[in-house]
Amino acid sequence: MLLAPIVILAKTTVLSPEETEEARDERISWWREARFGMFIHWGLYAIPGGTWKDKVYKEGYSEWIMFDEKIPASEYKELAGKFNPVKFDAQAWVGIAKKAGMKYMVLTTKHHDGFSMFQSGLTPYNVADATPFKRDVTRELVDACRNDSIHFGCYYSIDRDWYRPQGQGNRYKQTNLWDYPDSKQEDYDRYFATFAKPQVEELLSKYQPDLLWFDEIDMKTDAQVKELYQTIRKLRPECVINSRIQGCRFPEKIPPPHCDYITSGDNEILEKNIGFEWENPGSMNTSYGYNPNDHNWISADEIISRLVEIVSKGGNYLLNVGPTPEGLIPQPCIERLAKVGEWMEVNGEAIYGTSASVFGDSAPPSAGNWRCTVKPGKIYLHLLNWPNDGTFELADLQSKVNRAYLLADRKELKVKQTAGGVSISLPAEAPDKIVSVICLEIADPVAKIKASK
Ligand code: H79
């Protein structure tokens, strides 16, 4: 569906007039190695948590409450006076991410509601100056991440800001028309030039983020996108940028200009490897922001299978948590992340720094429901179903297999290799009931596959 119009350009293509493939390669190498990150949606919307007056949302985006309920900015801003997350502990959050096997963290420094979750010189409407809490939570998280070797990214909603008049010339009409019905394009241009872009500059110089994660709906002109991009590159060339700097739709061309990787739709897993870095922003229930009434949690098993599927297609998984107004990561998230962490402890080497499957789209369910990731000289087979007959058949592999073992115990497995492929003998019981991983050490750095498919 989304993939049809893509044109994949040659590797040597210059990404943007100012940019080379080599520069992008160097900048994005940590991100490529990381594969799994924590997304954090935290802001004033955690206080209503999806409930406004008589209206209780049991699903949907709690961070959208201001828009959904058309709350006047003058009323919404009163939430700032109630924001006092006394249990917030940046180190504890980083610890939870680390234990889950996550390697980076992206915090909503400003979501569409327009409230800055960092101390900003451009507006007093920010977490340090407008709340009784008075602490710069972005600063604390950046420091905790740096102390623990976790890369840090800033989510920034640059096109939408419901607190400020912004113009309405966009196709979704997702701007604040209830407070500002006469707002015009000029208002957007002023907002962009005097507030949004300067705030991005402020984030870059104050916090030196490793990643800027934009969330957009195509309100910027091409000239504004370019200006933003050049500003970021000038201030911090090593900062990775996602594709929503331009817009939220899937780019028409790969590589897309002005960014380093593609963000797929919210919770959208691409159908296949697109030959370019991409990332899935996923939620654990239907909301990104905290909503105590949204019980639509996906299981830890589902998270692990999604992670394996995404990575086998060459993507990263940025999995969200929505902390409470007290400053805690919700218990259902903690429980799930702990289970994912146990799996990563055993199987992480089949995730970190790996590339997409060498077997085409890897494992349709008819082939036994398995997926594949690779590293030089290694093939990882992720078995979502355990074979009943004690053997796993892998057709089409031509490279010599030197050694095969399960990551769970590293005991050598018996391998029969013929011109037609490889047959691996397995124990009767799966070591992991969700996904067990076999490692094949092969004689070639890059696996040779029969070109039959
Ligand atoms: O930050 C999270 C979302 O709030 C944000 N992206 C993720 C990472 C996002 N912004 N826009 N969108 C997602 C797409 C808009 C979806 C909508 Fe709706 C569908 C807007 C109106 C209909 C969901 C349902 C939100 C309001 C009603």
Side-chain angles (χ1 to χ4, degrees), residues 75-104:
E75 195 178 341
Y76 187 87
K77 84 174 202 220
E78 311 245 304
L79 292 171
K82 299 185 188 145
F83 191 77
N84 197 17
V86 289
K87 297 193 176 155
F88 171 64
D89 176 350
Q91 240 175 307
W93 288 13
V94 171
I96 291 166
K98 244 189 132 145
K99 223 176 113 211
M102 292 158 149
K103 301 288 190 189
Y104 61 115

mmCIF file of all heavy atoms in Angstrom, residues 75-104:
data_model
loop_
_atom_site.group_PDB
_atom_site.id
_atom_site.type_symbol
_atom_site.label_atom_id
_atom_site.label_comp_id
_atom_site.label_asym_id
_atom_site.label_seq_id
_atom_site.Cartn_x
_atom_site.Cartn_y
_atom_site.Cartn_z
ATOM 1 N N GLU A 75 -7.665 27.612 29.594
ATOM 2 C CA GLU A 75 -8.088 26.617 30.569
ATOM 3 C C GLU A 75 -7.047 25.493 30.679
ATOM 4 O O GLU A 75 -6.689 25.054 31.779
ATOM 5 C CB GLU A 75 -9.448 26.038 30.123
ATOM 6 C CG GLU A 75 -10.177 25.275 31.198
ATOM 7 C CD GLU A 75 -11.537 24.759 30.709
ATOM 8 O OE1 GLU A 75 -12.072 25.281 29.699
ATOM 9 O OE2 GLU A 75 -12.039 23.808 31.331
ATOM 10 N N TYR A 76 -6.550 25.047 29.533
ATOM 11 C CA TYR A 76 -5.571 23.945 29.514
ATOM 12 C C TYR A 76 -4.314 24.325 30.300
ATOM 13 O O TYR A 76 -3.739 23.502 31.013
ATOM 14 C CB TYR A 76 -5.222 23.593 28.065
ATOM 15 C CG TYR A 76 -4.362 22.360 27.904
ATOM 16 C CD1 TYR A 76 -4.927 21.084 27.823
ATOM 17 C CD2 TYR A 76 -2.960 22.450 27.841
ATOM 18 C CE1 TYR A 76 -4.130 19.953 27.670
ATOM 19 C CE2 TYR A 76 -2.159 21.325 27.695
ATOM 20 C CZ TYR A 76 -2.752 20.074 27.605
ATOM 21 O OH TYR A 76 -1.975 18.952 27.465
ATOM 22 N N LYS A 77 -3.936 25.594 30.176
ATOM 23 C CA LYS A 77 -2.652 25.987 30.788
ATOM 24 C C LYS A 77 -2.695 25.922 32.324
ATOM 25 O O LYS A 77 -1.656 25.853 32.975
ATOM 26 C CB LYS A 77 -2.199 27.346 30.275
ATOM 27 C CG LYS A 77 -2.769 28.554 30.948
ATOM 28 C CD LYS A 77 -2.064 29.767 30.374
ATOM 29 C CE LYS A 77 -2.166 30.924 31.326
ATOM 30 N NZ LYS A 77 -2.395 32.213 30.702
ATOM 31 N N GLU A 78 -3.901 25.888 32.878
ATOM 32 C CA GLU A 78 -4.016 25.734 34.337
ATOM 33 C C GLU A 78 -3.424 24.398 34.819
ATOM 34 O O GLU A 78 -3.058 24.256 35.991
ATOM 35 C CB GLU A 78 -5.487 25.765 34.760
ATOM 36 C CG GLU A 78 -6.229 26.936 34.166
ATOM 37 C CD GLU A 78 -6.700 27.912 35.226
ATOM 38 O OE1 GLU A 78 -7.416 27.452 36.124
ATOM 39 O OE2 GLU A 78 -6.323 29.099 35.137
ATOM 40 N N LEU A 79 -3.348 23.435 33.907
ATOM 41 C CA LEU A 79 -2.754 22.140 34.283
ATOM 42 C C LEU A 79 -1.308 22.316 34.748
ATOM 43 O O LEU A 79 -0.820 21.552 35.582
ATOM 44 C CB LEU A 79 -2.798 21.162 33.097
ATOM 45 C CG LEU A 79 -4.182 20.672 32.657
ATOM 46 C CD1 LEU A 79 -4.080 19.903 31.343
ATOM 47 C CD2 LEU A 79 -4.805 19.771 33.737
ATOM 48 N N ALA A 80 -0.633 23.310 34.185
ATOM 49 C CA ALA A 80 0.773 23.519 34.554
ATOM 50 C C ALA A 80 0.906 23.743 36.065
ATOM 51 O O ALA A 80 1.843 23.249 36.703
ATOM 52 C CB ALA A 80 1.359 24.695 33.771
ATOM 53 N N GLY A 81 -0.060 24.464 36.641
ATOM 54 C CA GLY A 81 -0.035 24.732 38.076
ATOM 55 C C GLY A 81 -0.218 23.478 38.928
ATOM 56 O O GLY A 81 0.027 23.492 40.143
ATOM 57 N N LYS A 82 -0.669 22.395 38.271
ATOM 58 C CA LYS A 82 -0.886 21.132 38.999
ATOM 59 C C LYS A 82 0.191 20.096 38.708
ATOM 60 O O LYS A 82 0.135 18.976 39.224
ATOM 61 C CB LYS A 82 -2.247 20.535 38.591
ATOM 62 C CG LYS A 82 -3.418 21.420 38.908
ATOM 63 C CD LYS A 82 -4.715 20.691 38.572
ATOM 64 C CE LYS A 82 -5.892 21.632 38.702
ATOM 65 N NZ LYS A 82 -6.929 21.383 37.719
ATOM 66 N N PHE A 83 1.123 20.439 37.832
ATOM 67 C CA PHE A 83 2.115 19.438 37.440
ATOM 68 C C PHE A 83 3.224 19.373 38.488
ATOM 69 O O PHE A 83 4.069 20.247 38.579
ATOM 70 C CB PHE A 83 2.687 19.782 36.058
ATOM 71 C CG PHE A 83 3.519 18.689 35.443
ATOM 72 C CD1 PHE A 83 2.915 17.582 34.856
ATOM 73 C CD2 PHE A 83 4.911 18.753 35.464
ATOM 74 C CE1 PHE A 83 3.683 16.564 34.288
ATOM 75 C CE2 PHE A 83 5.691 17.740 34.904
ATOM 76 C CZ PHE A 83 5.063 16.650 34.311
ATOM 77 N N ASN A 84 3.188 18.310 39.280
ATOM 78 C CA ASN A 84 4.152 18.184 40.365
ATOM 79 C C ASN A 84 4.556 16.716 40.575
ATOM 80 O O ASN A 84 4.179 16.065 41.556
ATOM 81 C CB ASN A 84 3.537 18.755 41.649
ATOM 82 C CG ASN A 84 4.609 19.030 42.689
ATOM 83 O OD1 ASN A 84 5.806 19.103 42.363
ATOM 84 N ND2 ASN A 84 4.200 19.176 43.938
ATOM 85 N N PRO A 85 5.327 16.184 39.619
ATOM 86 C CA PRO A 85 5.649 14.742 39.624
ATOM 87 C C PRO A 85 6.736 14.386 40.631
ATOM 88 O O PRO A 85 7.868 14.051 40.267
ATOM 89 C CB PRO A 85 6.118 14.494 38.185
ATOM 90 C CG PRO A 85 6.681 15.812 37.740
ATOM 91 C CD PRO A 85 5.914 16.877 38.471
ATOM 92 N N VAL A 86 6.380 14.433 41.899
ATOM 93 C CA VAL A 86 7.379 14.299 42.968
ATOM 94 C C VAL A 86 8.106 12.950 42.976
ATOM 95 O O VAL A 86 9.170 12.832 43.574
ATOM 96 C CB VAL A 86 6.735 14.544 44.354
ATOM 97 C CG1 VAL A 86 6.381 16.012 44.528
ATOM 98 C CG2 VAL A 86 5.488 13.676 44.524
ATOM 99 N N LYS A 87 7.524 11.952 42.284
ATOM 100 C CA LYS A 87 8.215 10.648 42.269
ATOM 101 C C LYS A 87 9.140 10.485 41.062
ATOM 102 O O LYS A 87 9.705 9.412 40.850
ATOM 103 C CB LYS A 87 7.171 9.524 42.291
ATOM 104 C CG LYS A 87 6.352 9.539 43.569
ATOM 105 C CD LYS A 87 5.541 8.278 43.752
ATOM 106 C CE LYS A 87 4.824 8.336 45.094
ATOM 107 N NZ LYS A 87 3.622 7.500 45.103
ATOM 108 N N PHE A 88 9.268 11.544 40.269
ATOM 109 C CA PHE A 88 10.128 11.457 39.081
ATOM 110 C C PHE A 88 11.586 11.225 39.471
ATOM 111 O O PHE A 88 12.139 11.926 40.293
ATOM 112 C CB PHE A 88 10.013 12.746 38.257
ATOM 113 C CG PHE A 88 11.019 12.850 37.134
ATOM 114 C CD1 PHE A 88 10.984 11.943 36.080
ATOM 115 C CD2 PHE A 88 11.998 13.837 37.134
ATOM 116 C CE1 PHE A 88 11.912 12.028 35.034
ATOM 117 C CE2 PHE A 88 12.929 13.931 36.094
ATOM 118 C CZ PHE A 88 12.878 13.023 35.048
ATOM 119 N N ASP A 89 12.197 10.221 38.815
ATOM 120 C CA ASP A 89 13.591 9.890 39.078
ATOM 121 C C ASP A 89 14.201 9.467 37.734
ATOM 122 O O ASP A 89 13.981 8.354 37.262
ATOM 123 C CB ASP A 89 13.635 8.739 40.105
ATOM 124 C CG ASP A 89 15.045 8.236 40.378
ATOM 125 O OD1 ASP A 89 15.978 8.639 39.644
ATOM 126 O OD2 ASP A 89 15.209 7.426 41.309
ATOM 127 N N ALA A 90 14.929 10.405 37.132
ATOM 128 C CA ALA A 90 15.451 10.180 35.778
ATOM 129 C C ALA A 90 16.295 8.905 35.720
ATOM 130 O O ALA A 90 16.198 8.115 34.774
ATOM 131 C CB ALA A 90 16.278 11.384 35.343
ATOM 132 N N GLN A 91 17.094 8.713 36.757
ATOM 133 C CA GLN A 91 17.973 7.537 36.776
ATOM 134 C C GLN A 91 17.173 6.238 36.771
ATOM 135 O O GLN A 91 17.557 5.262 36.142
ATOM 136 C CB GLN A 91 18.820 7.578 38.039
ATOM 137 C CG GLN A 91 20.287 7.629 37.753
ATOM 138 C CD GLN A 91 21.057 7.782 39.051
ATOM 139 O OE1 GLN A 91 20.771 8.689 39.843
ATOM 140 N NE2 GLN A 91 21.998 6.899 39.269
ATOM 141 N N ALA A 92 16.038 6.267 37.499
ATOM 142 C CA ALA A 92 15.193 5.069 37.549
ATOM 143 C C ALA A 92 14.610 4.782 36.162
ATOM 144 O O ALA A 92 14.550 3.619 35.728
ATOM 145 C CB ALA A 92 14.071 5.257 38.568
ATOM 146 N N TRP A 93 14.197 5.818 35.443
ATOM 147 C CA TRP A 93 13.663 5.610 34.089
ATOM 148 C C TRP A 93 14.739 5.021 33.171
ATOM 149 O O TRP A 93 14.482 4.096 32.413
ATOM 150 C CB TRP A 93 13.172 6.927 33.483
ATOM 151 C CG TRP A 93 11.905 7.458 34.079
ATOM 152 C CD1 TRP A 93 11.301 7.038 35.236
ATOM 153 C CD2 TRP A 93 11.088 8.519 33.549
ATOM 154 N NE1 TRP A 93 10.170 7.784 35.448
ATOM 155 C CE2 TRP A 93 10.011 8.689 34.434
ATOM 156 C CE3 TRP A 93 11.173 9.332 32.427
ATOM 157 C CZ2 TRP A 93 9.024 9.655 34.221
ATOM 158 C CZ3 TRP A 93 10.195 10.287 32.206
ATOM 159 C CH2 TRP A 93 9.120 10.434 33.096
ATOM 160 N N VAL A 94 15.934 5.581 33.255
ATOM 161 C CA VAL A 94 17.017 5.074 32.423
ATOM 162 C C VAL A 94 17.314 3.616 32.801
ATOM 163 O O VAL A 94 17.546 2.769 31.930
ATOM 164 C CB VAL A 94 18.276 5.970 32.551
ATOM 165 C CG1 VAL A 94 19.478 5.340 31.860
ATOM 166 C CG2 VAL A 94 17.999 7.354 31.956
ATOM 167 N N GLY A 95 17.239 3.319 34.092
ATOM 168 C CA GLY A 95 17.461 1.943 34.549
ATOM 169 C C GLY A 95 16.431 0.976 33.947
ATOM 170 O O GLY A 95 16.784 -0.130 33.531
ATOM 171 N N ILE A 96 15.176 1.413 33.887
ATOM 172 C CA ILE A 96 14.120 0.558 33.325
ATOM 173 C C ILE A 96 14.379 0.310 31.837
ATOM 174 O O ILE A 96 14.259 -0.814 31.341
ATOM 175 C CB ILE A 96 12.728 1.217 33.544
ATOM 176 C CG1 ILE A 96 12.382 1.199 35.037
ATOM 177 C CG2 ILE A 96 11.644 0.517 32.713
ATOM 178 C CD1 ILE A 96 11.207 2.095 35.431
ATOM 179 N N ALA A 97 14.777 1.383 31.130
ATOM 180 C CA ALA A 97 15.064 1.250 29.694
ATOM 181 C C ALA A 97 16.246 0.303 29.482
ATOM 182 O O ALA A 97 16.216 -0.595 28.633
ATOM 183 C CB ALA A 97 15.374 2.614 29.085
ATOM 184 N N LYS A 98 17.253 0.486 30.288
ATOM 185 C CA LYS A 98 18.471 -0.319 30.141
ATOM 186 C C LYS A 98 18.209 -1.791 30.398
ATOM 187 O O LYS A 98 18.655 -2.668 29.673
ATOM 188 C CB LYS A 98 19.535 0.185 31.114
ATOM 189 C CG LYS A 98 20.723 0.735 30.380
ATOM 190 C CD LYS A 98 21.870 1.034 31.269
ATOM 191 C CE LYS A 98 23.098 0.416 30.623
ATOM 192 N NZ LYS A 98 24.296 1.183 30.803
ATOM 193 N N LYS A 99 17.437 -2.034 31.444
ATOM 194 C CA LYS A 99 17.117 -3.422 31.803
ATOM 195 C C LYS A 99 16.310 -4.109 30.703
ATOM 196 O O LYS A 99 16.368 -5.316 30.520
ATOM 197 C CB LYS A 99 16.343 -3.437 33.129
ATOM 198 C CG LYS A 99 16.820 -4.536 34.054
ATOM 199 C CD LYS A 99 16.141 -4.496 35.401
ATOM 200 C CE LYS A 99 15.269 -5.712 35.580
ATOM 201 N NZ LYS A 99 14.096 -5.522 36.404
ATOM 202 N N ALA A 100 15.538 -3.297 29.966
ATOM 203 C CA ALA A 100 14.751 -3.860 28.860
ATOM 204 C C ALA A 100 15.615 -4.116 27.633
ATOM 205 O O ALA A 100 15.152 -4.708 26.661
ATOM 206 C CB ALA A 100 13.614 -2.910 28.501
ATOM 207 N N GLY A 101 16.859 -3.628 27.660
ATOM 208 C CA GLY A 101 17.743 -3.809 26.502
ATOM 209 C C GLY A 101 17.659 -2.650 25.524
ATOM 210 O O GLY A 101 18.132 -2.744 24.392
ATOM 211 N N MET A 102 17.043 -1.541 25.962
ATOM 212 C CA MET A 102 16.925 -0.383 25.071
ATOM 213 C C MET A 102 18.214 0.429 25.096
ATOM 214 O O MET A 102 18.856 0.548 26.145
ATOM 215 C CB MET A 102 15.748 0.483 25.528
ATOM 216 C CG MET A 102 14.413 -0.216 25.306
ATOM 217 S SD MET A 102 13.140 0.445 26.371
ATOM 218 C CE MET A 102 11.689 0.208 25.340
ATOM 219 N N LYS A 103 18.554 1.002 23.949
ATOM 220 C CA LYS A 103 19.836 1.703 23.829
ATOM 221 C C LYS A 103 19.688 3.196 23.624
ATOM 222 O O LYS A 103 20.684 3.911 23.543
ATOM 223 C CB LYS A 103 20.643 1.113 22.663
ATOM 224 C CG LYS A 103 20.945 -0.369 22.806
ATOM 225 C CD LYS A 103 21.977 -0.610 23.881
ATOM 226 C CE LYS A 103 22.452 -2.051 23.847
ATOM 227 N NZ LYS A 103 23.277 -2.371 25.001
ATOM 228 N N TYR A 104 18.458 3.661 23.425
ATOM 229 C CA TYR A 104 18.257 5.108 23.323
ATOM 230 C C TYR A 104 16.891 5.484 23.852
ATOM 231 O O TYR A 104 16.033 4.617 24.077
ATOM 232 C CB TYR A 104 18.490 5.625 21.896
ATOM 233 C CG TYR A 104 17.611 5.090 20.777
ATOM 234 C CD1 TYR A 104 16.731 5.928 20.097
ATOM 235 C CD2 TYR A 104 17.689 3.768 20.358
ATOM 236 C CE1 TYR A 104 15.955 5.469 19.026
ATOM 237 C CE2 TYR A 104 16.913 3.296 19.303
ATOM 238 C CZ TYR A 104 16.056 4.153 18.639
ATOM 239 O OH TYR A 104 15.291 3.690 17.597
#
